[in-house]
Amino acid sequence: MASSARRPHFESLTIFFPMWNEEATIERAVAAAFDAGDRLVATGEIGTFDILVIDDASTDNTPVIADKLAAEHEQLRVIHHERNRKLGGSLKTGFANATGELVLYTDADLPFDLAETTKAVRLLRIYEADIVSAYRFDRTGEGPRRLVYSYVYNHLVQLAFGLRLRDMNFAFKLLRRRVFDHIELKSEGSFIDVELLARAHRLGFHIVQFGVDYFPRTRGISTLSSNAVILQILREMWELRSDLRSLEPLPASLLEHRSPSTEP
């Protein structure tokens, strides 16, 4: 006799946070991730979830707090970098160690309400997308310098790589983990968000976007708009431009996918 229990749409989700000196935000971020995961399980979108913290050689109490939380929650894992590898290195570690069928990454300062994860998973399923990338409705809370920097950067990327996407560096990306069967990321800095989207787009993966309310950082330190970070982004964009432009679409058979809920 067939079971009456509804099968989840996706087997599992990994939510991961790259963290550097986030002692003021880590507990709040982990609690919000548990709330989001529990909601997705309750609604039948996913079967299980886990949370992954990438400690990027923090110099404050982030490693201690992270290990304490991991000891209290079996669904939480922590990976410590011996040296600081910046955003790119942290994201590569997170993607490589994520075990879920779906992978979501965001920042520890919670720039959006993690309850939006439910909508992101629904969009990925309904529109048969491979990546859901969010953008911010209102960015005025960042200040004029960040607004100008982001405007110029996004238009440069659109011209250089043909990406018709908004707010590409925003830390809200939901992906099918199988995307990384075909993508090897090379960036070590903050260009990694664009590199991920550019590679996926050139290979033929389906990307959808949706807008979310934005909550500027109130705790911890952001280094995204520092001169050193901006120069590294531009350097990596220049170094990887030929590689990204040379990519060709994958065969259609490799781009097709079926969620567990549609399989016999």
Side-chain angles (χ1 to χ4, degrees):
M1 179 181 291
S3 171
S4 60
R6 189 179 71 173
R7 194 172 180 184
H9 293 296
F10 299 99
E11 292 180 358
S12 55
L13 166 71
T14 295
I15 302 172
F16 85 82
F17 299 94
M19 294 193 183
W20 178 76
N21 288 0
E22 295 287 0
E23 63 181 10
T25 64
I26 180 172
E27 292 178 296
R28 183 179 65 179
V30 167
F34 271 107
D35 286 345
D38 287 339
R39 189 178 298 109
L40 286 163
V41 171
T43 57
E45 289 290 348
I46 61 172
T48 62
F49 72 94
D50 68 295
I51 301 167
L52 180 60
V53 169
I54 310 301
D55 164 41
D56 193 25
S58 297
T59 57
D60 65 357
N61 286 323
T62 299
V64 175
I65 299 171
D67 288 339
K68 178 178 178 292
L69 291 170
E72 296 171 352
H73 303 283
E74 63 179 16
Q75 287 170 281
L76 174 63
R77 293 178 292 141
V78 180
I79 296 176
H80 299 284
H81 283 170
E82 293 184 359
R83 62 178 180 85
N84 183 265
R85 294 185 55 196
K86 307 302 181 183
L87 179 63
S90 296
L91 292 194
K92 286 189 284 189
T93 296
F95 289 132
N97 287 275
T99 58
E101 179 186 0
L102 304 182
V103 182
L104 170 74
Y105 104 79
T106 187
D107 288 339
D109 63 308
L110 298 179
F112 66 97
D113 183 356
L114 269 176
E116 297 276 13
T117 304
T118 299
K119 182 175 181 179
V121 173
R122 281 178 51 81
L123 289 173
L124 186 137
R125 170 171 58 86
I126 292 170
Y127 292 97
E128 297 183 336
D130 299 294
I131 299 175
V132 174
S133 179
Y135 61 87
R136 289 163 277 197
F137 283 131
D138 182 4
R139 303 190 58 178
T140 55
E142 292 184 300
R145 178 182 179 184
R146 287 284 293 271
L147 282 173
V148 171
Y149 150 69
S150 297
Y151 177 84
V152 172
Y153 178 60
N154 279 283
H155 278 74
L156 277 175
V157 168
Q158 291 169 357
L159 289 172
F161 306 112
L163 283 171
R164 298 294 178 258
L165 300 172
R166 301 169 59 179
D167 208 359
M168 285 173 268
N169 266 32
F170 186 44
F172 184 160
K173 304 285 191 302
L174 175 71
L175 311 93
R176 297 179 190 263
R177 184 162 55 90
R178 71 178 189 89
V179 167
F180 293 100
D181 293 340
H182 309 284
I183 286 178
E184 179 182 355
L185 297 170
K186 298 179 181 179
S187 300
E188 284 289 312
S190 296
F191 183 66
I192 194 165
D193 281 292
V194 168
E195 183 192 0
L196 169 60
L197 294 172
R199 289 188 185 279
H201 170 70
R202 299 287 295 186
L203 291 175
F205 288 109
H206 182 201
I207 304 170
V208 299
Q209 284 199 298
F210 77 111
V212 297
D213 291 323
Y214 171 57
F215 302 95
R217 176 183 282 272
T218 58
R219 305 178 186 178
I221 300 171
S222 174
T223 60
L224 185 58
S225 60
S226 70
N227 291 336
V229 170
I230 293 172
L231 287 173
Q232 184 175 9
I233 288 174
L234 295 175
R235 182 168 56 250
E236 289 188 330
M237 182 191 298
W238 177 259
E239 292 172 349
L240 292 173
R241 72 194 189 288
S242 297
D243 181 17
L244 294 175
R245 289 174 177 172
S246 68
L247 294 173
E248 298 290 339
L250 294 169
S253 60
L254 293 179
L255 295 171
E256 293 173 357
H257 53 77
R258 303 175 71 189
S259 67
S261 58
T262 63
E263 292 177 355

